[in-house]
């Protein structure tokens, strides 16, 4: 069973470029290594990831299904540029498990390559879970407020 290398893009501040960084990173990594599986998923409900990568009709399963026992083959869709994506969900309810559980869930999925997680501009269950699951965290800093907010993200990762 393989486990993906997980990159989380997070900031409690909106408008700092989280989704732009996440989507461009996915395309860039795929262009560098065409045979490397690159998958992107967003916990935000703005559907930007879907709009960037969708090639056809909206998939039936979305990121919520990924959290509730669906297999990657059911939720991961091949998109533009060869990047795989997990469709966004309008509403996400956190599972009745601690945020640290997401790391175990993602490890059990048998996804290869790189998984990029785009987070919400709030430190909620989903952002905390994505931070705890990450092998690498990218925190875009646009201004002083974003820098100050980055401290709370750092505490999540260092307090585990």
């Amino acid at each position: 069973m393989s486990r993906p290398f997980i990159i989380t893009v997070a900031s409690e501040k909106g408008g700092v470029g989280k989704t732009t960084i996440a989507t461009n990173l996915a395309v860039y990594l795929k262009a560098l290594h065409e045979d490397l599986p690159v998958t992107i998923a967003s916990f935000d409900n703005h559907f930007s990831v879907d709009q960037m990568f969708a090639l056809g009709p909206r998939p039936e399963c979305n990121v919520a299904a990924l959290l509730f026992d669906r297999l990657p083959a059911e939720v991961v869709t091949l998109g533009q540029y060869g990047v795989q994506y997990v469709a966004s969900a309008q509403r996400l309810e956190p599972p009745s498990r601690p945020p640290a559980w997401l790391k175990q869930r993602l490890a059990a999925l048998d996804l290869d390559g790189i998984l990029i997680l785009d987070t919400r501009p709030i430190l909620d269950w989903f952002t905390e879970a994505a931070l705890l699951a990450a092998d690498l965290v990218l925190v875009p800093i646009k201004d002083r407020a974003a820098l100050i907010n980055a401290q709370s993200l750092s505490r999540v990762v260092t307090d585990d």
Side-chain angles (χ1 to χ4, degrees):
M1 189 179 286
S2 60
R3 175 178 134 14
F5 184 85
I6 300 170
I7 301 172
T8 295
V9 183
S11 175
E12 284 189 285
K13 179 110 172 49
V16 295
K18 289 182 297 298
T19 302
T20 300
I21 289 171
T23 56
N24 285 323
L25 180 62
V27 172
Y28 180 72
L29 290 171
K30 189 65 180 177
L32 278 178
H33 302 281
E34 290 180 11
D35 57 336
L36 175 69
V38 177
T39 307
I40 186 168
S42 180
F43 290 128
D44 210 340
N45 65 352
H46 50 60
F47 296 93
S48 297
V49 167
D50 305 53
Q51 292 168 0
M52 175 79 174
F53 296 105
L55 287 171
R58 181 161 171 70
E60 289 184 29
C61 291
N62 59 37
V63 70
L66 185 67
L67 296 172
F68 294 100
D69 301 327
R70 298 302 279 270
L71 298 172
E74 298 174 274
V75 295
V76 174
T77 303
L78 181 61
Q80 293 204 55
Y81 317 106
V83 173
Q84 302 174 128
Y85 74 101
V86 178
S88 301
Q90 184 65 42
R91 291 195 57 198
L92 276 176
E93 296 295 327
S96 59
R97 300 168 189 240
W101 166 82
L102 181 64
K103 184 173 187 167
Q104 298 167 344
R105 170 68 177 140
L106 295 175
L109 289 178
D110 198 25
L111 273 174
D112 287 329
I114 296 177
L115 173 62
I116 300 171
L117 298 175
D118 179 37
T119 63
R120 301 172 178 198
I122 184 172
L123 187 52
D124 62 356
W125 187 96
F126 299 99
T127 300
E128 185 175 343
L131 289 167
L132 293 172
D135 295 299
L136 175 67
V137 176
L138 301 177
V139 182
I141 304 295
K142 179 179 176 181
D143 52 22
R144 182 165 172 72
L147 180 61
I148 291 168
N149 286 335
Q151 293 173 339
S152 59
L153 299 178
S154 174
R155 279 190 226 100
V156 170
V157 176
T158 57
D159 287 347
D160 68 336

